[in-house]
Amino acid sequence: MTHNSNKVVIFLGPPGAGKGTQAERLAREHGLVQISTGDILRDHVARGTELGQQVKPIMEAGQLLSDHLLIALIRDRLAAMGPVRVIFDGFPRTQAQAEALDLLLEELGAPVNSVPLLEVPDQTLIDRIVERGRQATARGEQARSDDTEETARKRQQVYREQTQPLIEHYQRRGHLYTVDGVGTMDEVYGRIVSGLK
Ligand code: ADP
């Protein structure tokens, strides 16, 4: 497999759909770099950086951070790359972010290849998120402070209002394909891989 040509994959799907887990494996097995904005931001919060302190309350409320901030963050990451071989997980989340990303990628000559949309029923999502919080606590780890039922519902609502319109954005461009996100990790992974371009 050659790993020197541009490739851009964008994971879409509601909070708790399993984007992070699947994106990590896909990155590992396909020589891609995973860019998870949630992970990057949580790392800042954990290290108590200036940015971390600024974004912490907004993340804990399940709200989105400003488009400006996220776009700058992604621009920096992409600028530091040779061939653009990336999987986005958690970005873009708004129409403005999607449009900014289209422009950035155009400048870099690295258009979007595939946009898998992970579909999982709403109540299953809430159960998964609450369970993820419980498991972390049971392992003696710090649970994500936004992994509570109330915040999960808020994140779901934000997804519906701000991120769902992106489905159409990528559908119109012929990049989107839907993936049933219910099943074992391997089953879901297989469905994602079989739809990749
Ligand atoms: P989830 O597990 O709900 O999909 P993430 O781990 O991707 O969430 O992100 C956690 C939080 O980080 C979001 O609820 C939001 O506050 C912030 N965030 C992450 N990515 C973005 C983005 N692209 N635009 C705005 N805010 C973001």
Side-chain angles (χ1 to χ4, degrees), residues 13-16 19 36-39 41-42 55 58-60 62-67 70 89-94 97 129 132 144 146-147 155:
K19 300 186 295 292
S36 163
T37 46
D39 287 349
L41 296 164
R42 273 187 292 280
V55 301
I58 306 171
M59 290 177 74
E60 283 181 346
Q63 304 277 7
L64 295 187
L65 309 172
S66 82
D67 288 332
L70 268 294
D89 147 29
F91 182 92
R93 253 183 165 85
T94 64
Q97 291 178 16
I129 290 174
R132 178 167 73 185
R144 268 177 61 169
D146 60 351
D147 274 354
R155 277 148 65 200

PDB file of all heavy atoms in Angstrom, residues 13-16 19 36-39 41-42 55 58-60 62-67 70 89-94 97 129 132 144 146-147 155, ligand 1:
ATOM      1  N   GLY A  13     -21.433  11.858  12.512  1.00  0.00           N
ATOM      2  CA  GLY A  13     -22.315  11.030  13.329  1.00  0.00           C
ATOM      3  C   GLY A  13     -22.482  11.676  14.683  1.00  0.00           C
ATOM      4  O   GLY A  13     -21.651  12.483  15.099  1.00  0.00           O
ATOM      5  N   PRO A  14     -23.560  11.328  15.370  1.00  0.00           N
ATOM      6  CA  PRO A  14     -23.870  11.954  16.659  1.00  0.00           C
ATOM      7  C   PRO A  14     -22.869  11.568  17.750  1.00  0.00           C
ATOM      8  O   PRO A  14     -22.133  10.593  17.596  1.00  0.00           O
ATOM      9  CB  PRO A  14     -25.265  11.401  16.980  1.00  0.00           C
ATOM     10  CG  PRO A  14     -25.373  10.147  16.210  1.00  0.00           C
ATOM     11  CD  PRO A  14     -24.552  10.330  14.980  1.00  0.00           C
ATOM     12  N   PRO A  15     -22.862  12.326  18.865  1.00  0.00           N
ATOM     13  CA  PRO A  15     -22.002  11.986  19.994  1.00  0.00           C
ATOM     14  C   PRO A  15     -22.311  10.575  20.489  1.00  0.00           C
ATOM     15  O   PRO A  15     -23.484  10.211  20.622  1.00  0.00           O
ATOM     16  CB  PRO A  15     -22.360  13.012  21.075  1.00  0.00           C
ATOM     17  CG  PRO A  15     -23.284  13.989  20.465  1.00  0.00           C
ATOM     18  CD  PRO A  15     -23.648  13.536  19.099  1.00  0.00           C
ATOM     19  N   GLY A  16     -21.279   9.783  20.706  1.00  0.00           N
ATOM     20  CA  GLY A  16     -21.473   8.425  21.213  1.00  0.00           C
ATOM     21  C   GLY A  16     -21.600   7.394  20.113  1.00  0.00           C
ATOM     22  O   GLY A  16     -21.739   6.197  20.376  1.00  0.00           O
ATOM     23  N   LYS A  19     -17.288   7.257  16.666  1.00  0.00           N
ATOM     24  CA  LYS A  19     -16.377   7.849  15.685  1.00  0.00           C
ATOM     25  C   LYS A  19     -14.919   7.741  16.130  1.00  0.00           C
ATOM     26  O   LYS A  19     -14.062   7.360  15.344  1.00  0.00           O
ATOM     27  CB  LYS A  19     -16.702   9.337  15.473  1.00  0.00           C
ATOM     28  CG  LYS A  19     -18.096   9.613  14.962  1.00  0.00           C
ATOM     29  CD  LYS A  19     -18.285  11.087  14.636  1.00  0.00           C
ATOM     30  CE  LYS A  19     -18.206  12.006  15.840  1.00  0.00           C
ATOM     31  NZ  LYS A  19     -19.306  11.875  16.803  1.00  0.00           N
ATOM     32  N   SER A  36      -8.702  14.430  16.065  1.00  0.00           N
ATOM     33  CA  SER A  36      -9.913  14.444  16.879  1.00  0.00           C
ATOM     34  C   SER A  36      -9.931  15.735  17.675  1.00  0.00           C
ATOM     35  O   SER A  36      -9.140  15.917  18.604  1.00  0.00           O
ATOM     36  CB  SER A  36      -9.915  13.251  17.839  1.00  0.00           C
ATOM     37  OG  SER A  36     -10.849  13.478  18.874  1.00  0.00           O
ATOM     38  N   THR A  37     -10.814  16.657  17.292  1.00  0.00           N
ATOM     39  CA  THR A  37     -10.818  17.955  17.977  1.00  0.00           C
ATOM     40  C   THR A  37     -11.186  17.798  19.450  1.00  0.00           C
ATOM     41  O   THR A  37     -10.625  18.483  20.296  1.00  0.00           O
ATOM     42  CB  THR A  37     -11.768  18.955  17.275  1.00  0.00           C
ATOM     43  OG1 THR A  37     -13.007  18.307  17.001  1.00  0.00           O
ATOM     44  CG2 THR A  37     -11.163  19.449  15.987  1.00  0.00           C
ATOM     45  N   GLY A  38     -12.090  16.856  19.758  1.00  0.00           N
ATOM     46  CA  GLY A  38     -12.459  16.626  21.166  1.00  0.00           C
ATOM     47  C   GLY A  38     -11.233  16.220  21.984  1.00  0.00           C
ATOM     48  O   GLY A  38     -10.996  16.748  23.075  1.00  0.00           O
ATOM     49  N   ASP A  39     -10.424  15.286  21.449  1.00  0.00           N
ATOM     50  CA  ASP A  39      -9.221  14.828  22.164  1.00  0.00           C
ATOM     51  C   ASP A  39      -8.211  15.962  22.330  1.00  0.00           C
ATOM     52  O   ASP A  39      -7.609  16.116  23.391  1.00  0.00           O
ATOM     53  CB  ASP A  39      -8.546  13.672  21.409  1.00  0.00           C
ATOM     54  CG  ASP A  39      -9.330  12.365  21.536  1.00  0.00           C
ATOM     55  OD1 ASP A  39     -10.258  12.304  22.370  1.00  0.00           O
ATOM     56  OD2 ASP A  39      -9.012  11.414  20.788  1.00  0.00           O
ATOM     57  N   LEU A  41      -8.787  19.139  22.439  1.00  0.00           N
ATOM     58  CA  LEU A  41      -9.278  20.115  23.411  1.00  0.00           C
ATOM     59  C   LEU A  41      -9.239  19.563  24.838  1.00  0.00           C
ATOM     60  O   LEU A  41      -8.853  20.272  25.767  1.00  0.00           O
ATOM     61  CB  LEU A  41     -10.704  20.544  23.041  1.00  0.00           C
ATOM     62  CG  LEU A  41     -10.805  21.288  21.695  1.00  0.00           C
ATOM     63  CD1 LEU A  41     -12.244  21.328  21.197  1.00  0.00           C
ATOM     64  CD2 LEU A  41     -10.242  22.702  21.828  1.00  0.00           C
ATOM     65  N   ARG A  42      -9.592  18.275  24.990  1.00  0.00           N
ATOM     66  CA  ARG A  42      -9.536  17.667  26.336  1.00  0.00           C
ATOM     67  C   ARG A  42      -8.098  17.652  26.858  1.00  0.00           C
ATOM     68  O   ARG A  42      -7.863  17.817  28.047  1.00  0.00           O
ATOM     69  CB  ARG A  42     -10.125  16.251  26.321  1.00  0.00           C
ATOM     70  CG  ARG A  42     -11.642  16.240  26.525  1.00  0.00           C
ATOM     71  CD  ARG A  42     -12.182  14.821  26.680  1.00  0.00           C
ATOM     72  NE  ARG A  42     -12.071  14.064  25.451  1.00  0.00           N
ATOM     73  CZ  ARG A  42     -12.927  14.165  24.421  1.00  0.00           C
ATOM     74  NH1 ARG A  42     -13.958  14.973  24.497  1.00  0.00           N
ATOM     75  NH2 ARG A  42     -12.757  13.445  23.339  1.00  0.00           N
ATOM     76  N   VAL A  55     -11.883  26.951  27.270  1.00  0.00           N
ATOM     77  CA  VAL A  55     -12.909  26.096  26.658  1.00  0.00           C
ATOM     78  C   VAL A  55     -13.622  25.166  27.640  1.00  0.00           C
ATOM     79  O   VAL A  55     -14.704  24.664  27.349  1.00  0.00           O
ATOM     80  CB  VAL A  55     -12.310  25.243  25.510  1.00  0.00           C
ATOM     81  CG1 VAL A  55     -11.705  26.135  24.450  1.00  0.00           C
ATOM     82  CG2 VAL A  55     -11.305  24.215  25.991  1.00  0.00           C
ATOM     83  N   ILE A  58     -17.396  25.618  28.484  1.00  0.00           N
ATOM     84  CA  ILE A  58     -18.252  25.467  27.295  1.00  0.00           C
ATOM     85  C   ILE A  58     -18.411  23.982  26.972  1.00  0.00           C
ATOM     86  O   ILE A  58     -19.510  23.500  26.699  1.00  0.00           O
ATOM     87  CB  ILE A  58     -17.657  26.226  26.088  1.00  0.00           C
ATOM     88  CG1 ILE A  58     -17.398  27.686  26.481  1.00  0.00           C
ATOM     89  CG2 ILE A  58     -18.581  26.127  24.876  1.00  0.00           C
ATOM     90  CD1 ILE A  58     -16.618  28.485  25.459  1.00  0.00           C
ATOM     91  N   MET A  59     -17.301  23.248  27.025  1.00  0.00           N
ATOM     92  CA  MET A  59     -17.367  21.808  26.768  1.00  0.00           C
ATOM     93  C   MET A  59     -18.219  21.102  27.815  1.00  0.00           C
ATOM     94  O   MET A  59     -19.009  20.221  27.496  1.00  0.00           O
ATOM     95  CB  MET A  59     -15.955  21.207  26.749  1.00  0.00           C
ATOM     96  CG  MET A  59     -15.148  21.639  25.535  1.00  0.00           C
ATOM     97  SD  MET A  59     -13.462  21.014  25.557  1.00  0.00           S
ATOM     98  CE  MET A  59     -13.725  19.277  25.167  1.00  0.00           C
ATOM     99  N   GLU A  60     -18.058  21.512  29.068  1.00  0.00           N
ATOM    100  CA  GLU A  60     -18.830  20.862  30.134  1.00  0.00           C
ATOM    101  C   GLU A  60     -20.318  21.104  29.987  1.00  0.00           C
ATOM    102  O   GLU A  60     -21.134  20.323  30.456  1.00  0.00           O
ATOM    103  CB  GLU A  60     -18.326  21.320  31.509  1.00  0.00           C
ATOM    104  CG  GLU A  60     -17.023  20.624  31.850  1.00  0.00           C
ATOM    105  CD  GLU A  60     -16.451  20.984  33.207  1.00  0.00           C
ATOM    106  OE1 GLU A  60     -16.915  21.977  33.818  1.00  0.00           O
ATOM    107  OE2 GLU A  60     -15.545  20.251  33.646  1.00  0.00           O
ATOM    108  N   GLY A  62     -21.730  21.097  27.127  1.00  0.00           N
ATOM    109  CA  GLY A  62     -22.169  20.394  25.917  1.00  0.00           C
ATOM    110  C   GLY A  62     -22.371  21.323  24.729  1.00  0.00           C
ATOM    111  O   GLY A  62     -22.978  20.953  23.724  1.00  0.00           O
ATOM    112  N   GLN A  63     -21.862  22.547  24.846  1.00  0.00           N
ATOM    113  CA  GLN A  63     -22.011  23.536  23.760  1.00  0.00           C
ATOM    114  C   GLN A  63     -20.816  23.482  22.815  1.00  0.00           C
ATOM    115  O   GLN A  63     -19.772  22.942  23.171  1.00  0.00           O
ATOM    116  CB  GLN A  63     -22.066  24.949  24.358  1.00  0.00           C
ATOM    117  CG  GLN A  63     -23.146  25.143  25.399  1.00  0.00           C
ATOM    118  CD  GLN A  63     -24.504  25.451  24.793  1.00  0.00           C
ATOM    119  OE1 GLN A  63     -24.673  25.397  23.580  1.00  0.00           O
ATOM    120  NE2 GLN A  63     -25.468  25.758  25.647  1.00  0.00           N
ATOM    121  N   LEU A  64     -20.964  24.100  21.665  1.00  0.00           N
ATOM    122  CA  LEU A  64     -19.851  24.160  20.723  1.00  0.00           C
ATOM    123  C   LEU A  64     -18.965  25.372  20.988  1.00  0.00           C
ATOM    124  O   LEU A  64     -19.447  26.418  21.409  1.00  0.00           O
ATOM    125  CB  LEU A  64     -20.361  24.237  19.281  1.00  0.00           C
ATOM    126  CG  LEU A  64     -21.115  23.028  18.745  1.00  0.00           C
ATOM    127  CD1 LEU A  64     -21.404  23.202  17.257  1.00  0.00           C
ATOM    128  CD2 LEU A  64     -20.366  21.733  18.988  1.00  0.00           C
ATOM    129  N   LEU A  65     -17.687  25.214  20.701  1.00  0.00           N
ATOM    130  CA  LEU A  65     -16.747  26.332  20.788  1.00  0.00           C
ATOM    131  C   LEU A  65     -16.861  27.135  19.498  1.00  0.00           C
ATOM    132  O   LEU A  65     -17.513  26.694  18.548  1.00  0.00           O
ATOM    133  CB  LEU A  65     -15.330  25.793  20.955  1.00  0.00           C
ATOM    134  CG  LEU A  65     -15.208  24.776  22.089  1.00  0.00           C
ATOM    135  CD1 LEU A  65     -13.830  24.147  22.079  1.00  0.00           C
ATOM    136  CD2 LEU A  65     -15.477  25.439  23.420  1.00  0.00           C
ATOM    137  N   SER A  66     -16.196  28.293  19.452  1.00  0.00           N
ATOM    138  CA  SER A  66     -16.373  29.157  18.280  1.00  0.00           C
ATOM    139  C   SER A  66     -15.745  28.543  17.036  1.00  0.00           C
ATOM    140  O   SER A  66     -14.717  27.860  17.100  1.00  0.00           O
ATOM    141  CB  SER A  66     -15.775  30.536  18.546  1.00  0.00           C
ATOM    142  OG  SER A  66     -14.381  30.507  18.328  1.00  0.00           O
ATOM    143  N   ASP A  67     -16.392  28.794  15.899  1.00  0.00           N
ATOM    144  CA  ASP A  67     -15.890  28.305  14.623  1.00  0.00           C
ATOM    145  C   ASP A  67     -14.480  28.830  14.382  1.00  0.00           C
ATOM    146  O   ASP A  67     -13.595  28.105  13.933  1.00  0.00           O
ATOM    147  CB  ASP A  67     -16.801  28.779  13.477  1.00  0.00           C
ATOM    148  CG  ASP A  67     -18.136  28.048  13.481  1.00  0.00           C
ATOM    149  OD1 ASP A  67     -18.179  26.892  13.945  1.00  0.00           O
ATOM    150  OD2 ASP A  67     -19.129  28.639  13.024  1.00  0.00           O
ATOM    151  N   LEU A  70     -11.816  26.795  16.213  1.00  0.00           N
ATOM    152  CA  LEU A  70     -11.620  25.453  15.651  1.00  0.00           C
ATOM    153  C   LEU A  70     -10.953  25.500  14.281  1.00  0.00           C
ATOM    154  O   LEU A  70     -10.085  24.679  13.974  1.00  0.00           O
ATOM    155  CB  LEU A  70     -12.980  24.743  15.547  1.00  0.00           C
ATOM    156  CG  LEU A  70     -13.395  23.880  16.736  1.00  0.00           C
ATOM    157  CD1 LEU A  70     -12.461  22.677  16.858  1.00  0.00           C
ATOM    158  CD2 LEU A  70     -13.424  24.629  18.044  1.00  0.00           C
ATOM    159  N   ASP A  89     -12.306  13.657  13.026  1.00  0.00           N
ATOM    160  CA  ASP A  89     -13.300  13.071  13.927  1.00  0.00           C
ATOM    161  C   ASP A  89     -13.717  14.180  14.894  1.00  0.00           C
ATOM    162  O   ASP A  89     -12.942  14.589  15.740  1.00  0.00           O
ATOM    163  CB  ASP A  89     -12.620  11.856  14.592  1.00  0.00           C
ATOM    164  CG  ASP A  89     -13.055  11.587  16.010  1.00  0.00           C
ATOM    165  OD1 ASP A  89     -14.195  11.904  16.353  1.00  0.00           O
ATOM    166  OD2 ASP A  89     -12.236  11.039  16.773  1.00  0.00           O
ATOM    167  N   GLY A  90     -14.913  14.718  14.685  1.00  0.00           N
ATOM    168  CA  GLY A  90     -15.380  15.820  15.539  1.00  0.00           C
ATOM    169  C   GLY A  90     -15.261  17.180  14.858  1.00  0.00           C
ATOM    170  O   GLY A  90     -15.607  18.201  15.431  1.00  0.00           O
ATOM    171  N   PHE A  91     -14.771  17.188  13.656  1.00  0.00           N
ATOM    172  CA  PHE A  91     -14.649  18.407  12.855  1.00  0.00           C
ATOM    173  C   PHE A  91     -14.878  18.030  11.398  1.00  0.00           C
ATOM    174  O   PHE A  91     -14.351  16.990  10.977  1.00  0.00           O
ATOM    175  CB  PHE A  91     -13.252  19.020  13.013  1.00  0.00           C
ATOM    176  CG  PHE A  91     -13.067  20.309  12.245  1.00  0.00           C
ATOM    177  CD1 PHE A  91     -13.320  21.530  12.833  1.00  0.00           C
ATOM    178  CD2 PHE A  91     -12.655  20.284  10.912  1.00  0.00           C
ATOM    179  CE1 PHE A  91     -13.164  22.714  12.117  1.00  0.00           C
ATOM    180  CE2 PHE A  91     -12.505  21.463  10.189  1.00  0.00           C
ATOM    181  CZ  PHE A  91     -12.758  22.674  10.792  1.00  0.00           C
ATOM    182  N   PRO A  92     -15.604  18.781  10.594  1.00  0.00           N
ATOM    183  CA  PRO A  92     -16.358  19.976  10.972  1.00  0.00           C
ATOM    184  C   PRO A  92     -17.662  19.626  11.694  1.00  0.00           C
ATOM    185  O   PRO A  92     -18.180  18.528  11.555  1.00  0.00           O
ATOM    186  CB  PRO A  92     -16.649  20.623   9.621  1.00  0.00           C
ATOM    187  CG  PRO A  92     -16.702  19.481   8.645  1.00  0.00           C
ATOM    188  CD  PRO A  92     -15.723  18.469   9.148  1.00  0.00           C
ATOM    189  N   ARG A  93     -18.160  20.587  12.454  1.00  0.00           N
ATOM    190  CA  ARG A  93     -19.384  20.388  13.212  1.00  0.00           C
ATOM    191  C   ARG A  93     -20.442  21.425  12.869  1.00  0.00           C
ATOM    192  O   ARG A  93     -21.560  21.348  13.374  1.00  0.00           O
ATOM    193  CB  ARG A  93     -19.073  20.506  14.699  1.00  0.00           C
ATOM    194  CG  ARG A  93     -19.075  19.208  15.476  1.00  0.00           C
ATOM    195  CD  ARG A  93     -18.828  19.589  16.921  1.00  0.00           C
ATOM    196  NE  ARG A  93     -19.116  18.574  17.891  1.00  0.00           N
ATOM    197  CZ  ARG A  93     -18.284  17.620  18.266  1.00  0.00           C
ATOM    198  NH1 ARG A  93     -17.126  17.476  17.688  1.00  0.00           N
ATOM    199  NH2 ARG A  93     -18.625  16.786  19.240  1.00  0.00           N
ATOM    200  N   THR A  94     -20.085  22.410  12.066  1.00  0.00           N
ATOM    201  CA  THR A  94     -21.054  23.436  11.650  1.00  0.00           C
ATOM    202  C   THR A  94     -20.833  23.702  10.159  1.00  0.00           C
ATOM    203  O   THR A  94     -19.786  23.360   9.606  1.00  0.00           O
ATOM    204  CB  THR A  94     -20.829  24.779  12.390  1.00  0.00           C
ATOM    205  OG1 THR A  94     -19.549  25.290  12.018  1.00  0.00           O
ATOM    206  CG2 THR A  94     -20.895  24.626  13.899  1.00  0.00           C
ATOM    207  N   GLN A  97     -17.719  25.711   9.545  1.00  0.00           N
ATOM    208  CA  GLN A  97     -16.498  24.901   9.626  1.00  0.00           C
ATOM    209  C   GLN A  97     -16.319  24.069   8.363  1.00  0.00           C
ATOM    210  O   GLN A  97     -15.201  23.921   7.849  1.00  0.00           O
ATOM    211  CB  GLN A  97     -16.540  23.975  10.859  1.00  0.00           C
ATOM    212  CG  GLN A  97     -16.440  24.724  12.181  1.00  0.00           C
ATOM    213  CD  GLN A  97     -16.523  23.800  13.398  1.00  0.00           C
ATOM    214  OE1 GLN A  97     -16.363  22.590  13.300  1.00  0.00           O
ATOM    215  NE2 GLN A  97     -16.789  24.386  14.556  1.00  0.00           N
ATOM    216  N   ILE A 129     -23.093   6.613  26.197  1.00  0.00           N
ATOM    217  CA  ILE A 129     -22.328   7.712  26.806  1.00  0.00           C
ATOM    218  C   ILE A 129     -22.343   7.598  28.329  1.00  0.00           C
ATOM    219  O   ILE A 129     -21.305   7.716  28.987  1.00  0.00           O
ATOM    220  CB  ILE A 129     -22.890   9.080  26.348  1.00  0.00           C
ATOM    221  CG1 ILE A 129     -22.562   9.299  24.866  1.00  0.00           C
ATOM    222  CG2 ILE A 129     -22.324  10.214  27.187  1.00  0.00           C
ATOM    223  CD1 ILE A 129     -23.175  10.537  24.246  1.00  0.00           C
ATOM    224  N   ARG A 132     -20.144   4.760  29.292  1.00  0.00           N
ATOM    225  CA  ARG A 132     -18.729   5.145  29.158  1.00  0.00           C
ATOM    226  C   ARG A 132     -18.270   5.923  30.398  1.00  0.00           C
ATOM    227  O   ARG A 132     -17.183   5.689  30.920  1.00  0.00           O
ATOM    228  CB  ARG A 132     -18.557   6.001  27.895  1.00  0.00           C
ATOM    229  CG  ARG A 132     -17.146   6.516  27.654  1.00  0.00           C
ATOM    230  CD  ARG A 132     -16.988   7.067  26.258  1.00  0.00           C
ATOM    231  NE  ARG A 132     -17.653   8.359  26.064  1.00  0.00           N
ATOM    232  CZ  ARG A 132     -17.738   8.989  24.896  1.00  0.00           C
ATOM    233  NH1 ARG A 132     -17.241   8.453  23.806  1.00  0.00           N
ATOM    234  NH2 ARG A 132     -18.351  10.149  24.794  1.00  0.00           N
ATOM    235  N   ARG A 144     -15.112  11.573  31.609  1.00  0.00           N
ATOM    236  CA  ARG A 144     -15.260  12.843  30.908  1.00  0.00           C
ATOM    237  C   ARG A 144     -16.360  13.624  31.592  1.00  0.00           C
ATOM    238  O   ARG A 144     -17.450  13.104  31.810  1.00  0.00           O
ATOM    239  CB  ARG A 144     -15.672  12.572  29.450  1.00  0.00           C
ATOM    240  CG  ARG A 144     -14.504  12.468  28.510  1.00  0.00           C
ATOM    241  CD  ARG A 144     -14.976  12.123  27.128  1.00  0.00           C
ATOM    242  NE  ARG A 144     -15.880  13.130  26.551  1.00  0.00           N
ATOM    243  CZ  ARG A 144     -16.247  13.128  25.278  1.00  0.00           C
ATOM    244  NH1 ARG A 144     -15.807  12.198  24.458  1.00  0.00           N
ATOM    245  NH2 ARG A 144     -17.063  14.056  24.823  1.00  0.00           N
ATOM    246  N   ASP A 146     -18.283  15.688  30.540  1.00  0.00           N
ATOM    247  CA  ASP A 146     -19.509  15.893  29.760  1.00  0.00           C
ATOM    248  C   ASP A 146     -20.234  14.566  29.485  1.00  0.00           C
ATOM    249  O   ASP A 146     -21.190  14.536  28.737  1.00  0.00           O
ATOM    250  CB  ASP A 146     -19.215  16.647  28.448  1.00  0.00           C
ATOM    251  CG  ASP A 146     -18.245  15.914  27.525  1.00  0.00           C
ATOM    252  OD1 ASP A 146     -17.655  14.899  27.952  1.00  0.00           O
ATOM    253  OD2 ASP A 146     -18.085  16.359  26.369  1.00  0.00           O
ATOM    254  N   ASP A 147     -19.769  13.488  30.094  1.00  0.00           N
ATOM    255  CA  ASP A 147     -20.438  12.191  29.912  1.00  0.00           C
ATOM    256  C   ASP A 147     -21.502  11.941  30.985  1.00  0.00           C
ATOM    257  O   ASP A 147     -21.491  10.933  31.670  1.00  0.00           O
ATOM    258  CB  ASP A 147     -19.411  11.047  29.895  1.00  0.00           C
ATOM    259  CG  ASP A 147     -18.834  10.816  28.498  1.00  0.00           C
ATOM    260  OD1 ASP A 147     -19.317  11.459  27.546  1.00  0.00           O
ATOM    261  OD2 ASP A 147     -17.923   9.993  28.362  1.00  0.00           O
ATOM    262  N   ARG A 155     -25.769  17.587  24.034  1.00  0.00           N
ATOM    263  CA  ARG A 155     -24.872  17.404  22.894  1.00  0.00           C
ATOM    264  C   ARG A 155     -25.631  16.844  21.690  1.00  0.00           C
ATOM    265  O   ARG A 155     -25.350  17.180  20.539  1.00  0.00           O
ATOM    266  CB  ARG A 155     -23.713  16.477  23.278  1.00  0.00           C
ATOM    267  CG  ARG A 155     -22.584  17.214  23.988  1.00  0.00           C
ATOM    268  CD  ARG A 155     -21.863  16.373  25.001  1.00  0.00           C
ATOM    269  NE  ARG A 155     -21.156  15.248  24.433  1.00  0.00           N
ATOM    270  CZ  ARG A 155     -20.784  14.173  25.125  1.00  0.00           C
ATOM    271  NH1 ARG A 155     -21.064  14.086  26.421  1.00  0.00           N
ATOM    272  NH2 ARG A 155     -20.134  13.208  24.560  1.00  0.00           N
TER     273      ARG A 155
HETATM  274  P1  ADP B   1     -18.520  13.745  21.290  1.00  0.00           P
HETATM  275  O1  ADP B   1     -17.930  12.583  22.014  1.00  0.00           O
HETATM  276  O2  ADP B   1     -19.741  14.293  21.934  1.00  0.00           O
HETATM  277  O3  ADP B   1     -18.668  13.491  19.827  1.00  0.00           O
HETATM  278  P2  ADP B   1     -16.066  15.319  21.101  1.00  0.00           P
HETATM  279  O4  ADP B   1     -15.135  14.544  21.945  1.00  0.00           O
HETATM  280  O5  ADP B   1     -15.857  15.287  19.631  1.00  0.00           O
HETATM  281  O6  ADP B   1     -17.573  14.981  21.478  1.00  0.00           O
HETATM  282  O7  ADP B   1     -16.052  16.866  21.563  1.00  0.00           O
HETATM  283  C1  ADP B   1     -16.324  17.241  22.904  1.00  0.00           C
HETATM  284  C2  ADP B   1     -16.635  18.745  23.010  1.00  0.00           C
HETATM  285  O8  ADP B   1     -15.542  19.529  22.445  1.00  0.00           O
HETATM  286  C3  ADP B   1     -17.865  19.221  22.227  1.00  0.00           C
HETATM  287  O9  ADP B   1     -19.068  18.993  22.927  1.00  0.00           O
HETATM  288  C4  ADP B   1     -17.524  20.714  22.036  1.00  0.00           C
HETATM  289  O10 ADP B   1     -17.734  21.459  23.210  1.00  0.00           O
HETATM  290  C5  ADP B   1     -16.030  20.696  21.766  1.00  0.00           C
HETATM  291  N1  ADP B   1     -15.740  20.558  20.305  1.00  0.00           N
HETATM  292  C6  ADP B   1     -15.093  19.503  19.700  1.00  0.00           C
HETATM  293  N2  ADP B   1     -15.017  19.679  18.373  1.00  0.00           N
HETATM  294  C7  ADP B   1     -15.632  20.852  18.099  1.00  0.00           C
HETATM  295  C8  ADP B   1     -15.902  21.580  16.907  1.00  0.00           C
HETATM  296  N3  ADP B   1     -15.521  21.120  15.703  1.00  0.00           N
HETATM  297  N4  ADP B   1     -16.552  22.777  17.004  1.00  0.00           N
HETATM  298  C9  ADP B   1     -16.936  23.259  18.192  1.00  0.00           C
HETATM  299  N5  ADP B   1     -16.727  22.625  19.356  1.00  0.00           N
HETATM  300  C10 ADP B   1     -16.089  21.432  19.335  1.00  0.00           C
END
